[in-house]
Amino acid sequence: TPFFVPYAMQNLRISEGTIGSFLVVIALSGVVSNIWWGHIGKKYGVRWVLILTGALLALPSLFAILAGLLPTSWQLPCYFLVFVADGISVSGMWVGFMAYMLNIAPPLSRPTYLGFMNTILFPMSFAPLIAGVLVNFVDYEGLFAMSVGMGVLAFVVTTRLEGIVHEDEE
């Protein structure tokens, strides 16, 4: 996500004035999609929130790559899809992770499970730093291609999760 704006400005020549619009789009799509994620979670279960999120995680980077291949007049309108898909997928990821963690944790151990999850995710906070180093070697498109690959991997992993619900809490 941190590389979508620099890529747009440097490679697609999108003006600085448009960047604020991207931020509005990502925020609105994230907030509005929470309604959809809630519906999916209630109707099909949290596992399906994570599966759909896994499928969607590859889209922002894929849209960024594709926007660079389009004629100049189409690049800006299509680049907004990057931020729509990013807002939706990140929102689904947080809704799904938290809800799934609460579902797999025994009720009395939930604080411990959440603390453990945050400890395990701590190294992920360095991912943008690592990507910042990598972008010098593989350029933006290469970085986005790796992100698409990770999105595909996330989808595969989430399809193997078990749906868990505590019956004693319904």
Side-chain angles (χ1 to χ4, degrees):
T1 301
F3 298 93
F4 293 142
V5 169
Y7 173 74
M9 293 174 67
Q10 294 170 13
N11 293 42
L12 305 180
R13 308 285 184 239
I14 293 174
S15 70
E16 290 180 24
T18 307
I19 304 309
S21 300
F22 290 155
L23 297 176
V24 169
V25 167
I26 199 170
L28 285 175
S29 62
V31 170
V32 171
S33 69
N34 275 331
I35 298 166
W36 183 61
W37 291 123
H39 173 73
I40 297 296
K42 283 183 182 178
K43 188 167 184 172
Y44 301 104
V46 175
R47 178 179 174 265
W48 276 99
V49 171
L50 288 173
I51 290 171
L52 292 172
T53 298
L56 292 173
L57 281 173
L59 289 182
S61 294
L62 183 62
F63 289 157
I65 293 168
L66 294 175
L69 301 174
L70 294 172
T72 305
S73 62
W74 283 80
Q75 288 178 343
L76 177 59
C78 291
Y79 207 69
F80 275 98
L81 292 175
V82 170
F83 295 93
V84 170
D86 194 47
I88 292 169
S89 61
V90 169
S91 175
M93 180 178 61
W94 284 111
V95 168
F97 277 161
M98 289 299 175
Y100 194 79
M101 182 58 67
L102 291 173
N103 280 348
I104 65 171
L108 295 176
S109 299
R110 286 181 178 162
T112 304
Y113 274 62
L114 290 173
F116 181 72
M117 181 187 78
N118 287 326
T119 302
I120 293 296
L121 290 178
F122 172 72
M124 293 307 299
S125 63
F126 294 103
L129 178 67
I130 294 167
V133 172
L134 279 175
V135 78
N136 294 316
F137 299 104
V138 298
D139 68 37
Y140 288 112
E141 290 87 354
L143 190 64
F144 295 155
M146 291 192 315
S147 182
V148 169
M150 293 303 288
V152 170
L153 179 62
F155 173 72
V156 170
V157 168
T158 58
T159 59
R160 297 177 182 187
L161 294 174
E162 292 181 32
I164 300 170
V165 176
H166 295 282
E167 288 81 18
D168 59 336
E169 297 179 342
E170 293 183 353

